[in-house]
């Protein structure tokens, strides 16, 4: 059973940093493309970042580009999201997702991923 498990969420002040982790068990991790999405109250799910299974290519949503960094450790079956210069509008539940072989044009589409974590809450507030 594939079950991504996120951790690292919490309350942080504007301008602060936070690192989210997502461990994926039950699959050959290095064979999967991984991504982070987020959903704020009353809004749809938003693409945050994605990384190819090779680890050589990363993609970011416009609202987080330059502030967030996605990375992966294939030896630990874990994907990370380092978040810096956080803003109140970054407040959301963050989800990690995985799928084996997402086509490039669909990396930002949440329908492309079939394995999802339960989400971790990130709140940016003073």
């Amino acid at each position: 059973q594939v079950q991504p498990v996120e951790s690292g969420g919490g309350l942080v002040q504007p301008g602060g940093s936070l690192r989210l982790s997502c461990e994926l068990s039950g699959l050959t991790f290095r064979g999967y493309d991984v991504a982070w999405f987020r959903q704020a109250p009353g809004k749809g799910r938003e693409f945050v970042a994605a990384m190819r299974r090779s680890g050589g290519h990363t993609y970011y949503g416009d609202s987080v580009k330059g502030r967030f960094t996605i990375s992966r450790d294939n030896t630990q079956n874990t994907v990370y999201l380092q978040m810096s210069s956080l803003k109140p509008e970054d407040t959301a539940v963050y989800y990690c997702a995985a799928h084996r072989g997402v086509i490039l044009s669909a990396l930002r589409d949440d329908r492309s991923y079939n394995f999802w974590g339960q989400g971790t809450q990130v709140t940016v507030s003073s």
Side-chain angles (χ1 to χ4, degrees), residues 100-121:
R100 188 177 181 86
V102 180
I103 61 173
L104 181 59
S105 61
L107 271 177
R108 299 166 186 265
D109 189 340
D110 61 357
R111 296 170 296 179
S112 301
Y113 300 85
N114 59 346
F115 298 117
W116 289 85
Q118 80 288 351
T120 186
Q121 176 70 46

Side-chain angles (χ1 to χ4, degrees), residues 17-40:
S17 300
L18 210 57
R19 189 177 82 156
L20 306 183
S21 301
C22 177
E23 183 175 357
L24 292 94
S25 59
L27 51 75
T28 306
F29 180 71
R30 70 174 66 86
Y32 283 72
D33 297 321
V34 292
W36 289 93
F37 289 81
R38 67 186 182 185
Q39 188 165 19

Side-chain angles (χ1 to χ4, degrees), residues 28-125:
T28 306
F29 180 71
R30 70 174 66 86
Y32 283 72
D33 297 321
V34 292
W36 289 93
F37 289 81
R38 67 186 182 185
Q39 188 165 19
K43 296 188 176 181
R45 195 172 290 174
E46 178 189 8
F47 170 75
V48 175
M51 175 172 259
R52 287 298 209 177
R53 55 186 180 267
S54 66
H57 293 88
T58 57
Y59 307 86
Y60 295 94
D62 289 341
S63 61
V64 306
K65 201 172 296 181
R67 300 188 297 122
F68 291 11
T69 302
I70 187 172
S71 61
R72 63 190 293 163
D73 184 341
N74 286 346
T75 67
Q76 299 294 323
N77 282 17
T78 301
V79 57
Y80 302 97
L81 185 69
Q82 178 67 49
M83 306 184 293
S84 303
S85 302
L86 283 161
K87 306 174 182 179
E89 51 263 43
D90 294 317
T91 295
V93 178
Y94 284 70
Y95 300 90
C96 72
H99 189 76
R100 188 177 181 86
V102 180
I103 61 173
L104 181 59
S105 61
L107 271 177
R108 299 166 186 265
D109 189 340
D110 61 357
R111 296 170 296 179
S112 301
Y113 300 85
N114 59 346
F115 298 117
W116 289 85
Q118 80 288 351
T120 186
Q121 176 70 46
V122 172
T123 302
V124 184
S125 175

